[in-house]
Amino acid sequence: MAGERAPRAHVVCRADELPPGGRVLVNLDGRSVGVFNIDGQLHALHNRCPHAAGALCMGPVTGTTAPTEAGARTFVYTQANHILRCAWHGWEFEIESGRCLSDDRVRAKRFKVAVDQGQVVVTI
Amino acid sequence: MIDCDVHNDWSSSNVLLPYIDPTFRDYLLRGELPGARGSFPHAHRPWLHPEDFRRHDIKPTTDDEHYSFMREHLLDRYQHDVAILTGEEALEVSTLANPHYASALARAYNDWAVDTWLPRDDRFWMSLIVAPQDPQGAAAEIRRLGAHPRVVQVLTSHGSYRPYGDKFYEPIWEACHEMGLPWAVHLGGQGGINYQPIGGGPTTYYWETHALLLQPAMTHVASVIANGIFERYPNQKLLVIECGVTWLPSILWRLDANWRALRKETPWVKRLPSEYARDHIRMSTQPLEEAATKQQLWDVLRAMDGENMLMFASDYPHWDFDAPDDMPLPPTWMDKVMDANARQVYTKLPRTPVPWQLDAHKEPAL
């Protein structure tokens, strides 16, 4: 597309600096990006919440409650450490898909991330 | 045309004596009353209307006059097809501390209304008044009379002991669902055990308080949605009567925003609050807010899908009566708001909607 720059690979950190449960925040060509290690899998997301431009990647990585029956009003805790809650307003996103739990039409922007020769590389 | 809020008053609460359980007949006959003999046992609100809350051009005294004046000033004048009777002081049973007495009075009212009001006019359909502070007693009453072909809703005051989505009221929701009746919440019950009818503490004057009458209704809407009542009872309706209208879109916007962030707190709430409201909540029009311009009013009403959410109510014979032939609504909505929407909700009514006829009404001869 005219005006859109070609994707570029950026070295973010060494892979051993991002262990499981870890996160790094970096600025890549003026774009704030959060890189997460969830159970050994790396995920890179735009640190800008699609709801209201909040600091998405600075919020807690946590779980949430699964939908339950209204009759019993019980709680089933699920997706532990797979949900990112925006630091500002608390909208919930699945880290693996970017899917917003309260609005299926909303997605958090994800970037390609890989380990190359011991370095974490994000392509945006 | 369907009028969703028509008050059928009595000459005296003594009319209930033949209907009330013997145990509580003694209470009504000899027990303490809030006013003279013939006044109705209830805890009154602390805001007294300085000019009486009834219209001054209609002053019935006998029980026959209560009906004949209503026929003249309302039913015939505006050519009602349906009038939903909502009682008068009976709604105030919700203020009494003694739940047994409250339920006994509600039962007596319901039997009196069935016995003496319904036979007077085939335009009458009625509400079943229950004492919400006695959920088991209320549920029993709903099952006792809910199948009556002319009983179209369960009615409680909007002043309440707790928000109506609270688990405390589960038996009432269950009984409403079982009998296929909407739960209607009507302005009232602002006293006695319903000790928090106004947020922030008691206001001072009647008119100031009356303008805030929407507050407990907001609470009930939020509570019923958050507690998953409409997930549990997928066909259940909540009707909000005489609590104003234009606050609804604002509250729903706020509820939607908070649910999006904190849905984890109530995992049984699976859709946006506004979606539950669209499918399960209806509002009666009166007292319709008098906006500075009709355009401002219509913008807000459109934001709440007023064409499908609103049901006309006059609140006869009260001081804030809305006349059916003077409703500042978009003309294209009239068929629905004045008739068809209520027929969707009150499923015992004849199914065929009656189109609105703007020119049908004439000034009465003086």
Side-chain angles (χ1 to χ4, degrees):
Chain A
M1 191 186 293
E4 193 165 291
R5 63 185 180 193
R8 277 185 50 193
H10 302 262
V11 172
V12 168
C13 62
R14 290 199 317 273
D16 60 10
E17 291 173 317
L18 188 55
R23 123 176 46 184
V24 294
L25 279 168
V26 288
N27 190 302
L28 305 177
D29 281 349
R31 203 155 355 173
S32 181
V33 174
V35 187
F36 299 82
N37 183 334
I38 308 295
D39 300 337
Q41 298 290 314
L42 298 184
H43 303 276
L45 288 91
H46 193 187
N47 181 27
R48 181 184 165 89
C49 183
H51 163 223
L56 173 63
C57 295
M58 298 176 79
V61 173
T62 180
T64 190
T65 55
T68 51
E69 286 299 304
R73 290 177 201 150
T74 52
F75 296 91
V76 176
Y77 197 69
T78 185
Q79 291 182 277
N81 301 319
H82 291 267
I83 300 297
L84 176 61
R85 293 183 64 85
C86 176
W88 284 14
H89 306 105
W91 282 37
E92 298 170 298
F93 296 88
E94 279 178 357
I95 295 177
E96 281 85 348
S97 64
R99 187 176 74 88
C100 173
L101 294 193
S102 60
D103 190 337
D104 206 40
R105 297 162 302 180
V106 175
R107 287 285 189 285
K109 173 78 175 161
R110 287 167 47 84
F111 301 112
K112 190 177 158 195
V113 59
V115 175
D116 185 13
Q117 297 178 358
Q119 304 286 334
V120 175
V121 177
V122 173
T123 304
I124 70 172
Chain B
M1 184 258 288
I2 298 174
D3 186 340
C4 295
D5 190 14
V6 176
H7 291 288
N8 49 310
D9 204 355
W10 51 49
S11 59
S12 152
S13 69
N14 288 334
V15 299
L16 301 184
L17 287 171
Y19 298 95
I20 195 165
D21 308 354
T23 304
F24 296 103
R25 184 176 299 131
D26 289 351
Y27 289 42
L28 189 57
L29 196 60
R30 294 190 305 277
E32 181 182 352
L33 295 172
R37 203 44 52 190
S39 66
F40 184 66
H42 70 286
H44 207 66
R45 55 191 145 74
W47 305 278
L48 302 176
H49 194 301
E51 290 285 347
D52 192 7
F53 64 86
R54 296 173 185 89
R55 276 170 49 173
H56 283 274
D57 58 334
I58 303 164
K59 293 191 181 295
T61 51
T62 66
D63 288 300
D64 283 341
E65 282 177 350
H66 277 290
Y67 168 64
S68 63
F69 287 19
M70 179 195 288
R71 191 182 58 210
E72 178 191 350
H73 292 282
L74 186 77
L75 306 173
D76 290 353
R77 172 167 177 182
Y78 299 107
Q79 300 172 17
H80 279 49
D81 296 294
V82 169
I84 310 289
L85 302 179
T86 47
E88 182 67 76
E89 287 179 295
L91 196 65
E92 303 293 317
V93 293
S94 70
T95 60
L96 291 176
N98 182 333
H100 315 288
Y101 190 22
S103 275
L105 288 163
R107 285 193 298 272
Y109 164 77
N110 292 328
D111 283 338
W112 170 77
V114 166
D115 215 27
T116 69
W117 274 92
L118 289 182
R120 286 187 188 272
D121 202 300
D122 63 10
R123 290 168 286 192
F124 286 156
W125 303 71
M126 66 174 269
S127 317
L128 208 57
I129 291 181
V130 298
Q133 70 273 46
D134 178 20
Q136 285 73 22
E141 178 65 353
I142 293 165
R143 292 191 173 95
R144 183 180 76 94
L145 266 184
H148 189 289
R150 291 267 160 170
V151 166
V152 295
Q153 67 185 358
V154 170
L155 189 67
T156 63
S157 66
H158 86 322
S160 64
Y161 183 57
R162 299 183 191 185
Y164 285 142
D166 191 289
K167 275 187 175 178
F168 180 72
Y169 299 107
E170 203 74 53
I172 303 183
W173 287 111
E174 210 173 353
C176 286
H177 166 72
E178 190 182 313
M179 303 308 293
L181 295 171
W183 183 343
V185 174
H186 181 293
L187 167 73
Q190 299 168 295
I193 59 168
N194 304 328
Y195 59 95
Q196 285 182 318
I198 295 292
T203 40
T204 312
Y205 302 105
Y206 182 91
W207 68 263
E208 114 183 87
T209 308
H210 184 268
L212 300 174
L213 50 78
L214 48 99
Q215 290 188 4
M218 289 179 171
T219 305
H220 297 313
V221 164
S223 167
V224 167
I225 292 172
N227 282 286
I229 296 299
F230 302 131
E231 278 290 336
R232 184 155 186 191
Y233 305 113
N235 299 317
Q236 186 62 45
K237 291 277 195 300
L238 169 68
L239 311 179
V240 181
I241 301 185
E242 201 179 349
C243 295
V245 168
T246 56
W247 52 269
L248 185 69
S250 163
I251 282 294
L252 292 177
W253 290 329
R254 299 176 67 82
L255 290 171
D256 280 1
N258 285 1
W259 178 82
R260 280 194 165 103
L262 291 173
R263 50 148 297 284
K264 66 178 274 185
E265 200 181 5
T266 56
W268 45 84
V269 178
K270 302 188 180 80
R271 296 193 288 149
L272 285 170
S274 61
E275 294 175 21
Y276 290 111
R278 183 195 61 206
D279 292 346
H280 298 278
I281 296 178
R282 296 291 179 270
M283 316 277 288
S284 76
T285 51
Q286 181 276 342
L288 190 61
E289 282 83 359
E290 298 176 30
T293 68
K294 197 181 270 188
Q295 195 55 49
Q296 288 175 359
L297 177 68
W298 290 10
D299 284 346
V300 182
L301 296 182
R302 284 194 185 98
M304 60 176 280
D305 190 22
E307 181 177 6
N308 296 301
M309 290 280 281
L310 294 174
M311 309 189 301
F312 170 73
S314 73
D315 193 30
Y316 173 93
H318 292 167
W319 71 290
D320 49 349
F321 173 83
D322 281 346
D325 60 355
D326 192 32
M327 292 297 290
L329 294 173
T332 55
W333 292 12
M334 294 302 274
D335 283 353
K336 283 186 169 180
V337 175
M338 303 305 285
D339 191 285
N341 289 349
R343 281 183 209 275
Q344 299 277 324
V345 168
Y346 300 125
T347 51
K348 291 179 186 173
L349 298 180
R351 306 306 304 147
T352 312
V354 178
W356 176 246
Q357 293 178 298
L358 264 181
D359 302 325
H361 309 305
K362 296 192 175 102
E363 299 274 326
L366 290 173

